[in-house]
Amino acid sequence: MEKITHEALEGASVSQLQTLCEQIREEIFRTVSVRGGHLASNLGVVELTVALHRVFDFPRDKIIFDVGHQCYPHKLLSDRADAFSTLRSRGGISGFPKRAESEYDSYDTGHAGTALSAALGIAKARDLKGENFDVIALIGDGSFNNGLIYEALNSLRLMNTRVLIILNDNGMSISPTVGGTHEVLEELKCGNAPIEDVRLFERYGLEYMGVYAGNDLESLLPVLSEAKRKLQNGSVLLHVTTKKGQGHPFCEQAPDLTHGVSPGKKGREYSTALGEELVSLAKTDKRIVAVTAAMTDALGLRPFFEAFPDRAFDVGICEEHASVLSAALAAEGMRPYYAIYSTFLQRAFDEVIHDVCGQNLPVTFCIDRAGVSGSDGETHQGVFDLSYLAPIPNLTIAIPANISEFRAMLRMSTKMNAPLAIRYPREGEEGAFSPIEIGKFDILHSNMSDIIIYAAGERCLRLAEQIYRRAKEEGIALSVVNARFLKPLDTELLDARPERYVITIEDNALIGGLGDAIARHLRNRGKEIYSFGYGDAFIPHGDARGLFAEFGPNEEKILACVRDCHARG
Amino acid sequence: MEKITHEALEGASVSQLQTLCEQIREEIFRTVSVRGGHLASNLGVVELTVALHRVFDFPRDKIIFDVGHQCYPHKLLSDRADAFSTLRSRGGISGFPKRAESEYDSYDTGHAGTALSAALGIAKARDLKGENFDVIALIGDGSFNNGLIYEALNSLRLMNTRVLIILNDNGMSISPTVGGTHEVLEELKCGNAPIEDVRLFERYGLEYMGVYAGNDLESLLPVLSEAKRKLQNGSVLLHVTTKKGQGHPFCEQAPDLTHGVSPGKKGREYSTALGEELVSLAKTDKRIVAVTAAMTDALGLRPFFEAFPDRAFDVGICEEHASVLSAALAAEGMRPYYAIYSTFLQRAFDEVIHDVCGQNLPVTFCIDRAGVSGSDGETHQGVFDLSYLAPIPNLTIAIPANISEFRAMLRMSTKMNAPLAIRYPREGEEGAFSPIEIGKFDILHSNMSDIIIYAAGERCLRLAEQIYRRAKEEGIALSVVNARFLKPLDTELLDARPERYVITIEDNALIGGLGDAIARHLRNRGKEIYSFGYGDAFIPHGDARGLFAEFGPNEEKILACVRDCHARG
């Protein structure tokens, strides 16, 4: 196969460009098969990206990829074809746009809905500096549900600048796109009501062009040239339809299942337990409802949606709305379970405070992908949730030791009448656990010793057990506690334990996490407290297990700490 | 004057209801003159609220007030007329809807854009429980800029329920409403393009009714009855125009200045200094731009907007978009100053992490109303920002000791090339300060003593000075440090200070604040650390000074701590 180069674009005939598209598809498919990553979304935009690179002049012109999970063809066509096989691996090419990686990446993305705001900022800076280049925001229809897009649309006229929005309409976010905005787009595509809807976009200061076939190079090239011309006079919305997974039979048929692909065999997942337990609980407890922001499958809620379609709400990529909706359902007596990735809950931070905890309402946040989450990198690590949730009054924060304990916490939650956050990583194992009581830790090993380890969450408890075992082999006894509630803390147990040396282990940033909470309670008692977790830096992409060892609590360092404490007696 | 009662509504003629409206206006004006509060927004909805109480059956029917600063007539008409004179005072009636205060308040609000999501949740719970009542979301046109509203609109069809949205269109948020959505609403009002825009709302599953005169009882009553009838078949959007400040000549003329009213004489404000310094800096530094989410005046940016209209952006109530826009402006070389209240920055939390700090971009967040902010209550206190900002990598967090030091920090910020947050209360004084160096504290009193106080922010430093003075009178020497950077901490100074007893004072929640940061650094050194700030509870409304004394760091308790440390030597 020929090397993919940007130079191959210049002067190439349409049929040569089509060949280039096939090369790009093959390269993406081959790499994602090995490295994992976003498959269907990238396969869908190959022709569009090739056409953009032909018509526009990157990196002089700037393109912002909303969410960013469709940037692989762009990476292959800019300066990263040689390194592309390292995709998503530690030190390799990121699966998302990264300014630090290439000047072709104008703006880092990862969370949905930021591209138009970012394009407006870049375009306005261009105007203020008296420069002249084109700014493009490539946005999927799934992101068009997100409130940020409307906030940006609203300020389009105000900003008095020019951007090209390309609406990449494949009818999907990760799950099929849902909601009223989708209806508008569908009508546009059917040609049922073009005039009214086109006028809608004009109100916001956009010239509407569409609908065009986004997987057809021959028609795309002149359309993009036309959009580029129009862009000199004002902002343009170019509406193209693409097929998610285009060019790969299985992806085309199952674009939701091939949105993100993980290589290798998967272990057990907490999400599976979530679905099973919620379905089981909801059979007898009619108050239980489930809420998700476009992540039904990844969060394990599919069985619930099938069993209780009237009590299951996928509101699209709308994390804030999902949070307020949950609060209001709870205000009227329902028991909402809002499942969400740790990193995406950041989007609903204000609503967790203002709507859920401010009113002390029984919403249970099921926070998946907590701790280091892996190959998606900086924008997807879930290492801040303990820190940002800890200061919120009324909130109980639970951290299960294993999948079985997670199940027990879910059962416990139905008896609570207050907000609850349960945070857990993607993968884990079933295991032993003692009965759950809110705010009570679980003592796993209690020995005559001056050293005690408080660890929270499955990864950290596994590490604590390993340290326990290795220390024992060295003749060092210690105690190990499953610190399964960050809030309320088990102050009774903390007060009662006599150990002088306290070690905390957590799968979270050290600033504001479990270590700080325990240290706060144990202040001024002559204890020595050593905390292990993530330092004060963003954590890049790589294998989750490797990142945990490299950036998180480190086995050898903790063991060295244990030995040192033991030596001092 | 007759007492305002709900019973007065029943069987009353329109002219009797008009008299009731005048009574309500007088009561609101009288109370706000004494207690402060939201004046113009409440005066605007008097007729609308009277008509709603006549046509609907509260509290069986539920109404959610978006933002909530227009709920005074509702409070007077439900069960709180007698207590209304206690408005916004400690222990008195809240200026916002509060479920805990009355069963007539269905859902707590305070931040913009939540009402439709909340209405959908309440309506869906009603359906699931097989109950039957009406749910109304009263939303101002200013909130229609907020992304949350669009997220909720998008899920209107999905939720398959019925709500009445009343769009209270007064052309204002706090400042005049801006942006593309406003254009749509203006065209509807002019009757220029009703068909297309009406169809827009229909796409989302709403029957559109409008535009009606919202200050005219005679026309409102039949319109609301009609809306109530239509609501049996599906969701309705009722568009009414009201006059902000209606019935009061000065308010009508200056609705922006009378949106919120503070009683008594005001002191100096940090916001004034912000405007002055930015204007001064921007004259020579063409990179400087200012961004606000609909709070130009309250944040002191008016002079900047007048001096540099091309470099000043009020994007409407869109805190998230403002944050991404700032990041993108910075990515292209500008130096954005994004001024915002502490409590509203919670809305942009994800964007602070993902867009600004993740890309390490030089955006300066000017965080006003930090610490306890007063009479607006739980939803407006700024006591979490140190906690939620502390764990974010790349962010510098500064806390000025007085307005002069704030000015110096702003001047310093132009030399930084990284994200910066400066947090400060509303009021303060000019004062002395030593030259600013990033991450360096300022020693105010250094004495031979075993006790040192680290205090941050003007309120806490004033308190520390008071304690210093009183302790000195008692013959107790201590040292006092202005801990003006939460991040980076002045680890060099912390390492060098010999005092055994360390007292921290902050205008923030104790969980995750300055005390935790200093304690983390000083762990395991035989120090005793005593932290004073806010406990783990939401702080109600009241006078800011009184709330600080009641819920915050308490002078007598700190002094008792000082005496105790001194006694132990």
Side-chain angles (χ1 to χ4, degrees):
Chain A
M1 189 177 115
E2 274 186 72
K3 210 176 120 180
I4 297 165
T5 63
H6 191 271
E7 291 66 38
L9 286 166
E10 299 181 19
S13 67
V14 168
S15 94
Q16 284 169 319
L17 291 177
Q18 280 162 341
T19 305
L20 179 64
C21 289
E22 291 320 306
Q23 278 182 283
I24 291 171
R25 276 208 168 79
E26 278 176 43
E27 181 62 43
I28 289 173
F29 190 76
R30 184 167 49 232
T31 301
V32 171
S33 301
V34 178
R35 301 288 187 185
H38 291 94
L39 185 55
S41 47
N42 278 296
L43 294 180
V45 297
V46 173
E47 286 81 10
L48 180 59
T49 310
V50 165
L52 280 164
H53 273 261
R54 172 70 168 255
V55 172
F56 291 90
D57 178 20
F58 306 116
R60 188 174 160 275
D61 293 331
K62 316 280 181 199
I63 181 164
I64 302 110
F65 294 91
D66 200 85
V67 188
H69 53 22
Q70 74 291 56
C71 68
Y72 299 176
H74 173 73
K75 293 203 172 193
L76 284 166
L77 285 170
S78 49
D79 49 2
R80 286 157 286 181
D82 287 343
F84 192 71
S85 63
T86 64
L87 185 74
R88 290 158 51 87
S89 61
R90 180 80 182 97
I93 293 291
S94 167
F96 290 88
K98 284 277 176 284
R99 279 158 51 90
E101 187 178 284
S102 166
E103 60 175 343
Y104 285 86
D105 291 356
S106 318
Y107 193 85
D108 294 5
T109 53
H111 294 188
T114 65
L116 181 52
S117 300
L120 287 173
I122 289 172
K124 192 71 201 181
R126 169 199 66 195
D127 301 347
L128 289 169
K129 292 187 292 180
E131 297 178 358
N132 186 22
F133 54 81
D134 291 328
V135 182
I136 303 164
L138 178 59
I139 308 175
D141 58 309
S143 285
F144 259 78
N145 287 343
N146 189 275
L148 247 175
I149 296 284
Y150 292 88
E151 295 191 347
L153 269 178
N154 182 62
S155 75
L156 200 65
R157 281 180 186 278
L158 294 169
M159 295 303 293
N160 189 26
T161 186
R162 297 165 295 108
V163 296
L164 169 60
I165 305 170
I166 301 180
L167 166 55
N168 172 31
D169 186 355
N170 57 31
M172 303 283 296
S173 39
I174 294 177
S175 311
T177 305
V178 294
T181 303
H182 180 60
E183 305 282 317
V184 175
L185 299 180
E186 285 303 302
E187 288 203 38
L188 278 169
K189 282 190 277 188
C190 301
N192 281 347
I195 296 165
E196 290 84 350
D197 289 314
V198 167
R199 287 220 43 183
L200 160 67
F201 291 115
E202 286 171 5
R203 294 270 199 293
Y204 286 102
L206 284 166
E207 177 160 358
Y208 177 83
M209 293 175 66
V211 181
Y212 297 98
N215 291 117
D216 177 7
L217 263 179
E218 205 140 4
S219 77
L220 266 184
L221 289 167
V223 165
L224 283 177
S225 297
E226 176 68 12
K228 186 176 163 69
R229 266 193 303 279
K230 286 180 189 289
L231 186 54
Q232 303 318 305
N233 303 319
S235 293
V236 176
L237 175 74
L238 174 62
H239 186 176
V240 303
T241 54
T242 61
K243 188 156 192 167
K244 200 167 172 176
Q246 168 80 25
H248 190 273
F250 180 67
C251 293
E252 287 186 30
Q253 280 163 38
D256 46 353
L257 301 180
T258 53
H259 170 83
V261 175
S262 298
K265 196 172 156 288
K266 280 193 297 185
R268 282 175 198 272
E269 301 203 349
Y270 278 77
S271 58
T272 309
L274 176 66
E276 289 169 1
E277 290 301 322
L278 284 188
V279 167
S280 164
L281 291 166
K283 281 177 185 157
T284 52
D285 189 339
K286 295 202 182 313
R287 304 170 306 167
I288 292 177
V289 295
V291 179
T292 174
M295 306 282 274
T296 304
D297 288 297
L299 291 160
L301 293 176
R302 180 64 58 199
F304 191 97
F305 274 69
E306 284 169 0
F308 304 102
D310 296 344
R311 291 154 64 186
F313 311 110
D314 171 6
V315 298
I317 310 178
C318 300
E319 293 84 2
E320 296 181 87
H321 166 58
S323 193
V324 181
L325 184 72
S326 298
L329 283 158
E332 284 297 308
M334 308 307 288
R335 290 301 174 94
Y337 288 75
Y338 176 14
I340 185 165
Y341 284 13
S342 168
T343 187
F344 298 142
L345 186 58
Q346 294 167 187
R347 269 286 173 90
F349 180 60
D350 184 53
E351 291 79 5
V352 175
I353 300 174
H354 174 275
D355 294 88
V356 177
C357 297
Q359 299 183 87
N360 200 19
L361 293 167
V363 172
T364 299
F365 296 96
C366 300
I367 307 174
D368 202 330
R369 269 70 165 179
V372 80
S373 74
S375 310
D376 285 333
E378 291 87 339
T379 54
H380 285 64
Q381 313 293 10
V383 298
F384 300 122
D385 59 275
L386 292 184
S387 310
Y388 68 73
L389 295 174
I392 307 178
N394 295 334
L395 183 63
T396 295
I397 305 170
I399 311 164
N402 53 52
I403 292 177
S404 307
E405 191 170 88
F406 174 51
R407 294 178 189 272
M409 286 173 171
L410 288 169
R411 292 192 293 271
M412 168 203 78
S413 69
T414 62
K415 294 173 190 78
M416 288 180 66
N417 194 20
L420 169 67
I422 313 178
R423 62 103 71 176
Y424 46 87
R426 177 176 188 165
E427 296 185 29
E429 300 291 340
E430 304 282 348
F433 68 98
S434 68
I436 312 276
E437 194 182 332
I438 292 171
K440 293 296 170 197
F441 292 169
D442 182 21
I443 300 172
L444 302 179
H445 302 283
S446 191
N447 287 296
M448 288 292 291
S449 160
D450 241 4
I451 306 168
I452 188 165
I453 295 179
Y454 294 96
E458 186 158 354
R459 281 178 184 141
C460 296
L461 282 162
R462 194 168 293 142
L463 182 57
E465 289 286 359
Q466 174 73 357
I467 285 158
Y468 176 79
R469 197 184 53 71
R470 286 184 61 189
K472 194 173 178 183
E473 285 170 8
E474 298 181 20
I476 306 175
L478 44 80
S479 296
V480 177
V481 173
N482 169 13
R484 57 192 179 184
F485 286 94
L486 174 69
K487 204 176 173 183
L489 271 187
D490 190 344
T491 53
E492 197 180 355
L493 183 143
L494 287 167
D495 291 347
R497 295 302 305 192
E499 292 86 354
R500 174 181 169 80
Y501 300 105
V502 175
I503 293 172
T504 68
I505 309 179
E506 65 194 297
D507 195 8
N508 191 82
L510 282 169
I511 298 178
L514 177 74
D516 276 2
I518 287 178
R520 188 186 315 114
H521 184 74
L522 293 179
R523 265 192 215 164
N524 310 334
R525 304 199 192 182
K527 308 269 188 194
E528 291 191 21
I529 300 169
Y530 300 94
S531 293
F532 297 87
Y534 298 101
D536 188 19
F538 287 103
I539 299 167
H541 58 277
D543 166 68
R545 191 182 296 255
L547 293 176
F548 181 73
E550 181 178 354
F551 294 94
N554 180 279
E555 184 174 331
E556 298 310 321
K557 284 187 187 157
I558 302 173
L559 202 62
C561 178
V562 166
R563 288 188 196 111
D564 187 54
C565 293
H566 180 71
R568 286 186 289 145
Chain B
M1 190 177 115
E2 274 184 74
K3 213 179 117 181
I4 297 164
T5 63
H6 191 271
E7 291 64 38
L9 286 165
E10 299 181 19
S13 69
V14 169
S15 95
Q16 286 170 318
L17 291 177
Q18 279 161 342
T19 305
L20 179 64
C21 288
E22 290 320 305
Q23 280 182 279
I24 291 171
R25 276 208 169 80
E26 277 175 43
E27 181 63 43
I28 289 173
F29 190 76
R30 186 168 47 233
T31 301
V32 172
S33 301
V34 178
R35 300 290 186 185
H38 291 94
L39 186 55
S41 48
N42 280 295
L43 294 180
V45 298
V46 174
E47 286 80 10
L48 181 59
T49 311
V50 165
L52 281 164
H53 273 260
R54 173 68 167 255
V55 172
F56 291 90
D57 178 18
F58 306 116
R60 189 174 159 275
D61 293 331
K62 316 281 181 198
I63 181 164
I64 302 110
F65 294 91
D66 201 86
V67 187
H69 53 21
Q70 74 291 56
C71 69
Y72 300 176
H74 173 74
K75 294 203 171 194
L76 284 166
L77 286 170
S78 48
D79 49 2
R80 286 157 285 180
D82 287 344
F84 193 71
S85 62
T86 64
L87 185 74
R88 290 160 48 90
S89 61
R90 180 80 183 100
I93 293 291
S94 168
F96 290 88
K98 285 276 175 286
R99 281 158 49 90
E101 188 177 286
S102 166
E103 60 176 342
Y104 285 86
D105 291 356
S106 318
Y107 193 85
D108 293 5
T109 53
H111 294 189
T114 65
L116 181 52
S117 300
L120 287 173
I122 289 172
K124 191 71 200 181
R126 169 199 67 196
D127 301 347
L128 288 170
K129 292 187 292 180
E131 295 178 358
N132 186 22
F133 54 79
D134 291 329
V135 183
I136 303 164
L138 177 59
I139 309 176
D141 58 307
S143 285
F144 259 78
N145 287 343
N146 189 274
L148 246 175
I149 297 284
Y150 292 87
E151 295 190 347
L153 269 178
N154 182 62
S155 75
L156 201 64
R157 281 181 188 277
L158 293 170
M159 295 303 293
N160 188 27
T161 186
R162 295 164 297 107
V163 297
L164 169 59
I165 305 170
I166 301 181
L167 167 56
N168 172 30
D169 186 356
N170 57 31
M172 305 282 296
S173 40
I174 293 176
S175 310
T177 304
V178 294
T181 305
H182 181 60
E183 305 282 315
V184 176
L185 299 179
E186 284 303 301
E187 289 203 37
L188 279 168
K189 282 189 276 190
C190 300
N192 280 347
I195 296 164
E196 290 85 348
D197 290 313
V198 167
R199 288 221 42 184
L200 160 66
F201 292 114
E202 287 171 5
R203 295 269 199 295
Y204 287 103
L206 283 166
E207 177 160 357
Y208 176 83
M209 293 176 66
V211 181
Y212 297 99
N215 292 116
D216 177 7
L217 264 180
E218 205 141 4
S219 76
L220 265 185
L221 290 166
V223 164
L224 283 177
S225 298
E226 175 70 12
K228 186 176 163 68
R229 267 193 303 278
K230 286 182 190 286
L231 186 53
Q232 302 318 305
N233 304 319
S235 293
V236 175
L237 175 74
L238 173 63
H239 186 176
V240 303
T241 54
T242 62
K243 188 155 192 169
K244 200 166 174 177
Q246 169 80 24
H248 191 273
F250 181 67
C251 293
E252 288 186 28
Q253 280 163 38
D256 45 352
L257 300 180
T258 54
H259 170 84
V261 175
S262 299
K265 198 173 153 288
K266 280 192 298 185
R268 283 176 198 271
E269 301 203 349
Y270 278 76
S271 58
T272 309
L274 176 66
E276 289 169 2
E277 290 300 322
L278 284 188
V279 166
S280 164
L281 290 167
K283 281 177 186 160
T284 51
D285 189 340
K286 294 199 184 314
R287 303 170 305 168
I288 291 177
V289 296
V291 179
T292 174
M295 305 284 272
T296 304
D297 288 297
L299 292 160
L301 293 176
R302 180 65 57 199
F304 191 96
F305 273 68
E306 284 170 1
F308 304 101
D310 297 343
R311 289 154 64 186
F313 310 110
D314 171 7
V315 298
I317 310 178
C318 301
E319 294 83 1
E320 295 181 87
H321 166 58
S323 194
V324 181
L325 185 71
S326 298
L329 283 159
E332 285 296 308
M334 308 308 287
R335 289 301 174 96
Y337 288 75
Y338 176 15
I340 184 165
Y341 284 13
S342 168
T343 187
F344 298 142
L345 185 58
Q346 294 167 187
R347 270 286 173 89
F349 180 60
D350 184 52
E351 291 78 5
V352 176
I353 301 174
H354 175 275
D355 294 89
V356 178
C357 297
Q359 299 183 88
N360 200 17
L361 293 167
V363 172
T364 298
F365 296 94
C366 300
I367 307 174
D368 202 331
R369 269 69 164 178
V372 79
S373 72
S375 310
D376 285 334
E378 291 87 339
T379 54
H380 285 65
Q381 313 293 9
V383 298
F384 300 121
D385 59 274
L386 292 184
S387 311
Y388 69 72
L389 294 174
I392 307 178
N394 296 333
L395 183 63
T396 295
I397 305 170
I399 312 164
N402 53 52
I403 292 177
S404 307
E405 191 170 85
F406 174 51
R407 294 178 189 274
M409 285 172 171
L410 288 169
R411 293 192 292 270
M412 168 202 78
S413 69
T414 63
K415 294 175 189 77
M416 287 181 66
N417 193 19
L420 170 65
I422 312 179
R423 62 101 74 175
Y424 46 88
R426 178 177 187 164
E427 294 184 28
E429 299 291 340
E430 304 282 347
F433 67 96
S434 69
I436 312 277
E437 194 181 334
I438 292 170
K440 293 296 169 199
F441 292 168
D442 183 22
I443 300 172
L444 302 179
H445 302 284
S446 192
N447 287 297
M448 287 293 291
S449 161
D450 241 4
I451 306 169
I452 188 165
I453 295 180
Y454 294 96
E458 184 157 357
R459 283 178 182 140
C460 296
L461 282 162
R462 194 168 294 142
L463 182 57
E465 290 286 0
Q466 175 73 356
I467 286 158
Y468 176 78
R469 197 183 52 72
R470 288 183 62 188
K472 194 173 178 185
E473 285 170 8
E474 298 181 20
I476 306 175
L478 43 79
S479 296
V480 177
V481 173
N482 169 13
R484 57 192 178 184
F485 286 94
L486 174 69
K487 202 175 174 183
L489 272 186
D490 190 344
T491 52
E492 197 180 354
L493 183 143
L494 287 167
D495 291 346
R497 296 302 304 193
E499 292 85 355
R500 174 180 167 80
Y501 301 104
V502 174
I503 293 172
T504 68
I505 309 179
E506 66 193 296
D507 195 7
N508 191 82
L510 282 170
I511 298 178
L514 177 73
D516 277 2
I518 287 178
R520 190 186 314 115
H521 184 74
L522 292 179
R523 265 192 215 165
N524 310 335
R525 305 199 192 181
K527 308 270 187 194
E528 291 191 21
I529 301 169
Y530 300 93
S531 293
F532 296 87
Y534 298 101
D536 188 20
F538 287 102
I539 300 166
H541 57 277
D543 166 68
R545 192 182 296 254
L547 293 176
F548 181 72
E550 182 179 354
F551 294 95
N554 180 279
E555 184 174 330
E556 298 310 321
K557 283 187 188 157
I558 301 171
L559 202 60
C561 177
V562 165
R563 288 189 196 110
D564 187 54
C565 293
H566 179 70
R568 286 186 289 145

